Amino acid sequence: MIFEEYDQLDEDEKVEVLWKNGQYLIHFDILEQTFIVFKLWRFYVEIWYDPTADVICKLRTFNDQQGLTPYFDGFHSTPSK
């Protein structure tokens, strides 16, 4: 599946495809919001999740590493195993 095909799916289909095929990369909790990033084939999906309400607020897709820029500090500060 390519980026444009994924973007045409409805939200439930996107979530299902993501859970089955996505590779978890990182997450951050900021205030009362959780941001989770997955790699899905050759693009990325960012989930904006509200843990209090237990709902996904937004799915954002991007196909270049520039979209990961806000997470780079987290990648570098995560201890390696």
Side-chain angles (χ1 to χ4, degrees):
M1 181 175 287
I2 63 172
F3 178 82
E4 293 81 8
E5 291 173 325
Y6 183 80
D7 268 352
Q8 296 301 312
L9 300 174
D10 68 35
E11 186 173 297
D12 290 337
E13 292 172 318
K14 286 179 180 179
V15 170
E16 184 177 337
V17 167
L18 186 61
W19 290 160
K20 288 181 180 177
N21 301 288
Q23 177 186 1
Y24 167 82
L25 295 179
I26 194 165
H27 82 273
F28 281 102
D29 296 316
I30 301 172
L31 300 175
E32 295 182 17
Q33 188 89 30
T34 299
F35 299 88
I36 311 164
V37 179
F38 290 85
K39 182 169 185 181
L40 187 61
W41 296 294
R42 294 181 179 220
F43 57 92
Y44 302 92
V45 180
E46 179 182 63
I47 296 175
W48 297 21
Y49 175 71
D50 179 346
T52 304
D54 192 25
V55 296
I56 293 174
C57 303
K58 181 177 180 177
L59 289 170
R60 182 176 79 93
T61 55
F62 50 97
N63 60 3
D64 60 26
Q65 291 187 351
Q66 205 168 25
L68 295 172
T69 301
Y71 297 94
F72 284 157
D73 288 339
F75 284 128
H76 294 288
S77 65
T78 303
S80 57
K81 294 182 180 183

